Amino acid sequence: MRVGVLGSGIVGRTIAGKVASLDHEVVLGTRDVRLTTERPAGPNDAESFADWHGANAAVIVAPYAEAASHGEIVVHATNGAGALEALARAGQDNLDDKILVDVSNPLDFSAGFPPTLAVSNTDSLGEQIQRTFPRTRVVKTLNTVQAAVMVDPASVGGGDHHVFVSGDDQGAKDRVAELLRDWFGWRNVIDLGDITTSRGVEMYLPLWVRVMSAINTPVFNIKIAR
Amino acid sequence: MRVGVLGSGIVGRTIAGKVASLDHEVVLGTRDVRLTTERPAGPNDAESFADWHGANAAVIVAPYAEAASHGEIVVHATNGAGALEALARAGQDNLDDKILVDVSNPLDFSAGFPPTLAVSNTDSLGEQIQRTFPRTRVVKTLNTVQAAVMVDPASVGGGDHHVFVSGDDQGAKDRVAELLRDWFGWRNVIDLGDITTSRGVEMYLPLWVRVMSAINTPVFNIKIAR
């Protein structure tokens, strides 16, 4: 199928590369293609974009709008700070009636580490996106794990842990749960309810960040033990 | 040892009853002893206070200040909304130099269910308590699970899940981790760091509430899978 991935950081690259490796037609969208393709390795990117693209040559790199237009399904993987601007560039017409898989977090690093949330408690980034694009079927998921774990849950605890879906459209959530299983191998998906439940998974991030520091690795996830 | 438990709701009752059953001298503190002892069963209390006290007669019921004065260690288990007022009634002199185990959450139900948080993101109830009582050694813990799970972790997933401690005093955190093991059987305690990490465990509550709704039980906890 045709998949658009918005965002050229580690999350967008990881998802785009994995989905393309499954023989789907993937376009990775970015604000400025030239700047992205020239981006060196940095603190958040283990390798330069060129090195990553060399190893993932099947992924086409294009402006946001082209990636959104291309996708039968679109994954939103920008850093949360520029999310609404990136989605505006992707274009409402290119997102109408489509499933938008939102894996982003509204992390605010303006005061350093640990980050705070730019929106929380009585609202969430997932809700903001759904309100801004009312004809798009937004499904929040995967934001509770690091990029490498998103596409390879079996790498953590034998895959015995949970991921969540939040959204107003039941069909869209069910479809995303199927894709999480078929693309990445997620076996345990909990449907939290409507898009307001994005608050829960986004407000978990401050705990995620502290656990990461305490156990010295971002490669973990939570299992709901009963 | 002598233990003070502040709060006469389900959390305070559950902790006081369990600790008293281990032959510690427990005083449960409340704002108004007569009102508390006359309290009927209600939506949050499965039984009347009198019925609970009949089954836990070793627990002495007294005003907040008397419970705090009695305790070598004090557990704060009021509902978060009245936390600072309850602790003011307990009295700074009665809390100085002691370990205060804060198991509360700043849940705000004023707009109904699900609750929001009265403080979050750039501050937390744990921090507010520590700032208000600078000579008290505040340790935040157990707020991530329901009362019954607090005192019986083995009842969930064979005990294979995690609880956290947050606080500025390492000795106090180590002592609380020992008590969690000895009193209740907690085997897996993660030290998240200083009291600012209370933000993480308190901001997890909106996810906890949604998971509870999704799986139809409050009897669960998270395991950090690696």
Side-chain angles (χ1 to χ4, degrees):
Chain A
M1 67 186 295
R2 286 177 286 107
V3 179
V5 177
L6 308 179
S8 60
I10 182 67
V11 177
R13 294 182 198 181
T14 302
I15 291 175
K18 175 65 181 177
V19 175
S21 77
L22 301 171
D23 287 334
H24 296 293
E25 301 162 55
V26 179
V27 176
L28 184 150
T30 185
R31 191 165 62 88
D32 184 315
V33 171
R34 193 174 63 84
L35 280 179
T36 294
T37 53
E38 292 174 352
R39 197 186 307 156
N44 294 315
D45 302 316
E47 56 190 351
S48 70
F49 192 89
D51 284 349
W52 172 80
H53 203 198
N56 295 273
V59 176
I60 295 165
V61 182
Y64 283 133
E66 197 173 319
S69 171
H70 165 83
E72 301 163 66
I73 189 164
V74 179
V75 178
H76 173 242
T78 75
N79 71 52
L84 292 172
E85 186 199 328
L87 288 164
R89 289 175 184 265
Q92 184 165 326
D93 290 351
N94 294 323
L95 296 171
D96 270 358
D97 304 319
K98 292 181 182 175
I99 293 174
L100 182 70
V101 182
D102 174 33
V103 306
S104 68
N105 279 303
L107 298 178
D108 178 353
F109 286 94
S110 61
F113 187 92
T116 56
L117 299 182
V119 55
S120 66
N121 204 20
T122 56
D123 198 4
S124 63
L125 183 54
E127 289 164 89
Q128 289 180 334
I129 294 172
Q130 184 62 81
R131 283 199 304 271
T132 308
F133 299 91
R135 295 188 56 190
T136 300
R137 297 182 286 162
V138 178
V139 178
K140 185 101 199 179
T141 190
L142 290 181
N143 70 301
T144 52
V145 293
Q146 188 222 27
V149 179
M150 290 180 182
V151 302
D152 188 13
S155 66
V156 168
D160 185 20
H161 47 86
H162 290 86
V163 74
F164 309 96
V165 289
S166 301
D168 292 341
D169 187 296
Q170 191 64 48
K173 285 189 288 188
D174 293 345
R175 179 73 179 124
V176 169
E178 281 177 8
L179 293 175
L180 291 176
R181 182 192 62 207
D182 295 348
W183 287 353
F184 308 137
W186 283 98
R187 299 198 306 263
N188 306 310
V189 180
I190 293 178
D191 184 343
L192 289 178
D194 67 25
I195 194 67
T196 68
T197 64
S198 297
R199 295 176 205 176
V201 287
E202 293 178 10
M203 291 174 76
Y204 160 72
L205 260 289
L207 179 57
W208 185 93
V209 166
R210 299 304 199 146
V211 170
M212 177 190 70
S213 296
I215 69 174
N216 281 311
T217 176
V219 184
F220 71 91
N221 190 21
I222 55 174
K223 170 186 175 173
I224 304 299
R226 296 179 60 172
Chain B
M1 67 187 295
R2 287 176 285 106
V3 179
V5 177
L6 309 179
S8 60
I10 182 67
V11 177
R13 294 182 199 181
T14 303
I15 291 176
K18 175 65 183 177
V19 175
S21 77
L22 301 171
D23 287 334
H24 296 293
E25 301 161 56
V26 178
V27 176
L28 184 148
T30 185
R31 191 165 62 88
D32 184 316
V33 171
R34 193 175 62 83
L35 280 179
T36 294
T37 52
E38 292 175 353
R39 196 186 307 156
N44 296 314
D45 303 316
E47 55 190 351
S48 70
F49 192 88
D51 283 350
W52 172 82
H53 203 198
N56 295 272
V59 176
I60 295 166
V61 182
Y64 282 133
E66 196 172 321
S69 170
H70 165 82
E72 299 164 67
I73 189 165
V74 179
V75 178
H76 173 243
T78 74
N79 70 52
L84 292 172
E85 186 199 330
L87 288 164
R89 289 174 184 267
Q92 184 164 324
D93 290 352
N94 294 324
L95 296 171
D96 271 358
D97 305 319
K98 292 181 181 175
I99 293 174
L100 181 70
V101 183
D102 174 34
V103 306
S104 68
N105 278 303
L107 298 178
D108 178 354
F109 285 93
S110 60
F113 186 93
T116 56
L117 299 182
V119 54
S120 66
N121 204 19
T122 56
D123 198 2
S124 63
L125 183 53
E127 289 165 88
Q128 290 180 335
I129 293 171
Q130 182 63 82
R131 284 198 304 272
T132 308
F133 299 90
R135 294 186 57 191
T136 300
R137 296 182 288 162
V138 178
V139 178
K140 185 101 199 177
T141 191
L142 290 181
N143 69 302
T144 52
V145 293
Q146 187 222 26
V149 180
M150 291 181 181
V151 302
D152 188 12
S155 65
V156 169
D160 185 18
H161 48 85
H162 290 85
V163 74
F164 308 97
V165 289
S166 302
D168 292 340
D169 186 298
Q170 191 63 49
K173 285 189 289 189
D174 293 345
R175 179 73 179 123
V176 169
E178 282 177 8
L179 293 175
L180 291 176
R181 183 192 62 208
D182 295 347
W183 287 352
F184 308 137
W186 282 97
R187 298 196 308 262
N188 306 309
V189 180
I190 294 179
D191 183 344
L192 289 178
D194 67 25
I195 194 68
T196 69
T197 65
S198 296
R199 295 175 205 176
V201 287
E202 293 178 10
M203 290 174 76
Y204 160 72
L205 260 289
L207 179 57
W208 185 92
V209 166
R210 298 304 198 147
V211 170
M212 177 191 69
S213 297
I215 69 174
N216 282 310
T217 176
V219 185
F220 71 92
N221 190 20
I222 54 173
K223 170 186 175 175
I224 304 299
R226 297 178 58 173

